[in-house]
Amino acid sequence: MHLAYPAVLAVLLFCTGLYGVLARRNAILVLMSVELMLNAVNLNLVAFDVWLRDTLHAGQALTLFTIAIAAAEIGIGLAIVLMVYRNRGTSDIDKLRDNAETAGADEAVGADETAGPDEKAEATA
């Protein structure tokens, strides 16, 4: 078997996953796209392991670790998405940008830190 066939398939899978991460608005579809990208990496690991005829099968061992890490990542990511959906009512990534702190809150914190003790007492009174 030539190395080009699985390598081209892995590139196509990775590009499809990359497009999904960059273009999708739904958080669950973004997580699925990340899984596609990880599967492309797994395919490359196994293909190069077979091509190099490694006696330790290091590519296959790394693939097992990658699968375990991907399962943990998707479990935690899905739990976060479900909690956000319960709290906000949507899993649209663009609508979740209101989680960031505003610039006014940062300026107020910075002003309190530079104020002296007398100014802090006046601000609390």
Side-chain angles (χ1 to χ4, degrees), residues 24-25 91-98:
R24 298 292 177 193
R25 307 240 186 256
S91 62
D92 189 5
I93 294 175
D94 289 336
K95 292 182 182 176
L96 298 177
R97 291 187 181 170
D98 59 348

Side-chain angles (χ1 to χ4, degrees), residues 10-115:
V11 166
L12 290 175
L13 276 175
F14 193 85
C15 290
T16 304
L18 186 64
Y19 174 75
V21 167
L22 295 177
R24 298 292 177 193
R25 307 240 186 256
N26 191 346
I28 294 175
L29 292 177
V30 170
L31 287 174
M32 289 174 60
S33 298
V34 169
E35 288 295 318
L36 271 177
M37 293 167 65
L38 286 173
N39 285 331
V41 170
N42 289 339
L43 181 62
N44 267 335
L45 284 171
V46 171
F48 277 96
D49 182 52
V50 169
W51 184 63
L52 293 173
R53 292 184 175 86
D54 186 18
T55 57
L56 296 176
H57 299 292
Q60 293 178 17
L62 283 174
T63 299
L64 289 176
F65 285 118
T66 306
I67 290 171
I69 289 171
E73 174 258 332
I74 200 70
I76 292 171
L78 193 57
I80 291 170
V81 168
L82 286 175
M83 288 304 298
V84 167
Y85 182 76
R86 285 183 186 170
N87 290 335
R88 304 272 180 183
T90 184
S91 62
D92 189 5
I93 294 175
D94 289 336
K95 292 182 182 176
L96 298 177
R97 291 187 181 170
D98 59 348
N99 292 340
E101 294 183 19
T102 60
D106 292 338
E107 292 171 3
V109 170
D112 288 340
E113 291 174 356
T114 58

